[in-house]
Amino acid sequence: MQTEEEFKDFILNGHLHYIPNVSIDCAIFGYHEQTLKLMLIRHRNMSSWSLPGGHIKRSETLVEAASRNVRMHTGLDNLFLQQFKTFGDPNRIQFNKFDKEKWFEITGLTSWEGNWLMDHTISVGFYAVTDFSETVLQTDISIAECAWFDIGSLPPLEFDHSEMVKEALHTMRLHLYHYPIGLNMLPEKFTLSEIHALYETLLGKKLDVSNFPKKLIALGLLNKLTEKRSIGAHRSPHLYSFDREKYTLALKEGLVLS
Amino acid sequence: MQTEEEFKDFILNGHLHYIPNVSIDCAIFGYHEQTLKLMLIRHRNMSSWSLPGGHIKRSETLVEAASRNVRMHTGLDNLFLQQFKTFGDPNRIQFNKFDKEKWFEITGLTSWEGNWLMDHTISVGFYAVTDFSETVLQTDISIAECAWFDIGSLPPLEFDHSEMVKEALHTMRLHLYHYPIGLNMLPEKFTLSEIHALYETLLGKKLDVSNFPKKLIALGLLNKLTEKRSIGAHRSPHLYSFDREKYTLALKEGLVLS
């Protein structure tokens, strides 16, 4: 949505194009050099931050809706994108948090009675992981701000979004034991130290040295290259890359990595 | 729903009490003596089998709706009940599969135009695990049959329910590495062979001898009892029981079991 006219049409007639009573929310995690961040947005009619999200077009799958949302905010495609949980507690959304009177000006409405956006909404949570240094954050007409926050110092979030972040982190960390998810967060060629640091940062804890990398090698997911990196006198660790074919298969079927 | 009158009111006015456009479906797995089964139902106006499911009351959480559904069909409470995935592909439900004309007689409707049940519906999948020998299967006014099927020989299922079963199995098997889920499927006191057999049956594959049990003992989730079971001359393996406190905590926080 780029224009006021589109925004108005969405509020008034969105249920013709989108499924009512259902939304998606996306926890986009960003990794770079041993730092983990989370992308947050601030809606133009709200004072606090929240996860980016939106509605599902009647013609698209849930993951297509999530991909569209992530692409819209980060400019990136083909991220590792997974459902983590669906949220549906009664009263999970307090509509009084929206400064809805501002919308009256845009829409010409004088009451929200019967408006499709104001009914009970359950939300399907997706998480994505990417290298935050490669993203170009973007807003649209409904969003005032969009920014990366350190995972350890998030601002207060709207609705049940703090719970969503907790659950997204929990599921992402569990998935680390079953899916290879480094492809978007490491350079094409990397050292075992680099992938070890990635796992430690995502898990938020120290690991036995090269626990994960060793298992990835044993499963054939990492290829040892002849090339080395020179990082100082007498220190030139081997470089590795992901085996794309096995990586894709493991993403589909899952594995046991611990 | 037990009466025709309640069923009619559900079809005509259900959207007042239930959230439209959203349902839940439950894959209820049943274990007993190294056999894994799945519970299926046949709706009274359909010819094929499907997972049990239903709608979410406006006053309840998603997991409350799933619990209510599982309890209604099995008579059991407090099962290990987890979301596995939410399904929302366009056209995932072919409404022509319902013999809807039969409903015309009940409802007095002559057209489905605008009926809340006929719109795009996404469904939140839950799975549960239990001992099938302890369940008493129950139907209601909307269901013709309810039965356990061996996991290896399921009948063709309606809609996207075969995909749901596949995903439920996948997630349940992944969760086996992170949550203790034997409590409802083993007797109060059991041998290591019994819990080993449970894991092998649920995972659908052979495991290294006592891999999972050893880890459960190391994590303090199993208590070794002084009591033994006599199973023949010179064979009397120790009995074990779950440590309820640690079990409950592990269910909440997750762990690494492999």
Side-chain angles (χ1 to χ4, degrees), chain A residues 58 83 86 119 174 178 258, chain B residues 58 83 86 119 174 178 258:
Chain A
R58 286 176 176 273
Q83 282 188 28
T86 296
D119 197 11
L174 191 146
H178 300 278
S258 59
Chain B
R58 288 176 176 274
Q83 280 188 27
T86 296
D119 197 11
L174 191 146
H178 300 278
S258 59

Side-chain angles (χ1 to χ4, degrees), chain A residues 19-22 58-62 83 85-86 88-90 119-120 122 124 170 174 177-179 253 256 258, chain B residues 19-22 58-62 83 85-86 88-90 119-120 122 170 174 177-179 253 256 258:
Chain A
I19 310 168
N21 301 86
V22 187
R58 286 176 176 273
S59 60
E60 69 190 355
T61 63
L62 301 179
Q83 282 188 28
K85 194 172 181 181
T86 296
D89 282 10
D119 197 11
H120 195 128
I122 75 153
V124 185
H170 180 80
L174 191 146
Y177 292 89
H178 300 278
Y179 302 99
E253 299 191 346
V256 181
S258 59
Chain B
I19 310 167
N21 301 87
V22 187
R58 288 176 176 274
S59 59
E60 69 189 355
T61 63
L62 302 180
Q83 280 188 27
K85 193 173 181 180
T86 296
D89 283 9
D119 197 11
H120 196 129
I122 76 153
H170 181 81
L174 191 146
Y177 292 90
H178 300 278
Y179 303 99
E253 298 190 349
V256 182
S258 59

Side-chain angles (χ1 to χ4, degrees), chain A residues 4 7 42-46 102-103 106 141-144:
Chain A
E4 292 283 341
F7 190 43
R42 200 171 58 71
H43 284 283
R44 67 186 255 194
N45 60 345
M46 296 190 80
K102 279 196 188 152
W103 286 0
I106 298 166
I141 192 85
S142 68
I143 292 166

Side-chain angles (χ1 to χ4, degrees), chain B residues 119-169:
Chain B
D119 197 11
H120 196 129
T121 299
I122 76 153
S123 189
V124 185
F126 282 83
Y127 78 87
V129 284
T130 185
D131 182 332
F132 65 76
S133 73
E134 290 187 4
T135 57
V136 181
L137 298 189
Q138 294 165 55
T139 61
D140 77 354
I141 192 85
S142 68
I143 293 167
E145 284 184 278
C146 187
W148 288 106
F149 289 80
D150 279 343
I151 200 75
S153 53
L154 300 177
L157 301 182
E158 288 297 352
F159 313 134
D160 52 357
H161 288 200
S162 289
E163 175 69 11
M164 284 182 177
V165 172
K166 203 180 123 210
E167 294 284 347
L169 264 175

Side-chain angles (χ1 to χ4, degrees), chain A:
Chain A
M1 285 184 289
Q2 297 305 332
T3 67
E4 292 283 341
E5 201 52 42
E6 283 173 330
F7 190 43
K8 175 180 170 182
D9 187 56
F10 172 77
I11 293 174
L12 295 179
N13 306 309
H15 57 290
L16 301 176
H17 313 293
Y18 296 88
I19 310 168
N21 301 86
V22 187
S23 67
I24 52 137
D25 282 296
C26 298
I28 309 175
F29 294 110
Y31 173 83
H32 192 70
E33 289 176 358
Q34 301 178 43
T35 309
L36 184 61
K37 292 180 187 277
L38 179 70
M39 211 210 77
L40 296 173
I41 58 147
R42 200 171 58 71
H43 284 283
R44 67 186 255 194
N45 60 345
M46 296 190 80
S47 56
S48 304
W49 294 84
S50 53
L51 294 175
H55 287 76
I56 303 143
K57 289 182 187 169
R58 286 176 176 273
S59 60
E60 69 190 355
T61 63
L62 301 179
V63 73
E64 283 168 357
S67 293
R68 177 170 55 77
N69 196 271
V70 170
R71 187 169 56 245
M72 195 275 274
H73 287 295
T74 64
L76 296 181
D77 248 321
N78 298 318
L79 299 188
F80 181 73
L81 187 65
Q82 287 273 330
Q83 282 188 28
F84 62 93
K85 194 172 181 181
T86 296
F87 297 80
D89 282 10
N91 309 317
R92 53 175 290 272
I93 294 186
Q94 299 85 44
F95 289 106
N96 58 359
K97 290 262 189 168
F98 286 97
D99 188 354
K100 290 183 292 187
E101 296 210 354
K102 279 196 188 152
W103 286 0
F104 283 160
E105 295 167 27
I106 298 166
T107 57
L109 285 174
T110 51
S111 157
W112 288 104
E113 184 73 26
N115 182 275
W116 75 289
L117 285 172
M118 297 299 141
D119 197 11
H120 195 128
T121 299
I122 75 153
S123 191
V124 185
F126 281 83
Y127 78 88
V129 283
T130 186
D131 182 333
F132 66 76
S133 73
E134 290 188 5
T135 57
V136 182
L137 298 190
Q138 294 166 55
T139 60
D140 77 353
I141 192 85
S142 68
I143 292 166
E145 283 184 277
C146 187
W148 288 106
F149 290 81
D150 280 342
I151 199 74
S153 52
L154 300 178
L157 301 183
E158 287 297 354
F159 313 134
D160 52 357
H161 287 201
S162 289
E163 174 69 11
M164 284 183 177
V165 172
K166 203 181 121 209
E167 293 284 347
L169 264 175
H170 180 80
T171 302
M172 183 266 276
R173 286 170 175 169
L174 191 146
H175 282 176
L176 281 176
Y177 292 89
H178 300 278
Y179 302 99
I181 67 176
L183 205 53
N184 296 299
M185 283 170 289
L186 291 169
E188 182 69 25
K189 300 167 184 178
F190 48 84
T191 64
L192 292 187
S193 297
E194 284 171 337
I195 192 167
H196 182 74
L198 169 68
Y199 273 94
E200 281 197 338
T201 306
L202 296 188
L203 285 169
K205 65 180 183 189
K206 289 285 169 198
L207 291 170
D208 286 348
V209 177
S210 66
N211 192 4
F212 277 88
K214 263 187 193 158
K215 198 70 191 246
L216 288 167
I217 293 168
L219 291 165
L221 284 154
L222 290 188
N223 291 325
K224 189 173 184 172
L225 307 176
T226 50
E227 201 176 332
K228 294 181 177 190
R229 182 181 298 159
S230 177
I231 55 171
H234 313 297
R235 296 190 59 207
S236 51
H238 267 286
L239 288 170
Y240 290 77
S241 69
F242 285 110
D243 183 302
R244 293 293 176 121
E245 203 172 310
K246 288 191 179 146
Y247 191 101
T248 307
L249 188 69
L251 271 189
K252 201 171 148 228
E253 299 191 346
L255 37 80
V256 181
L257 261 182
S258 59

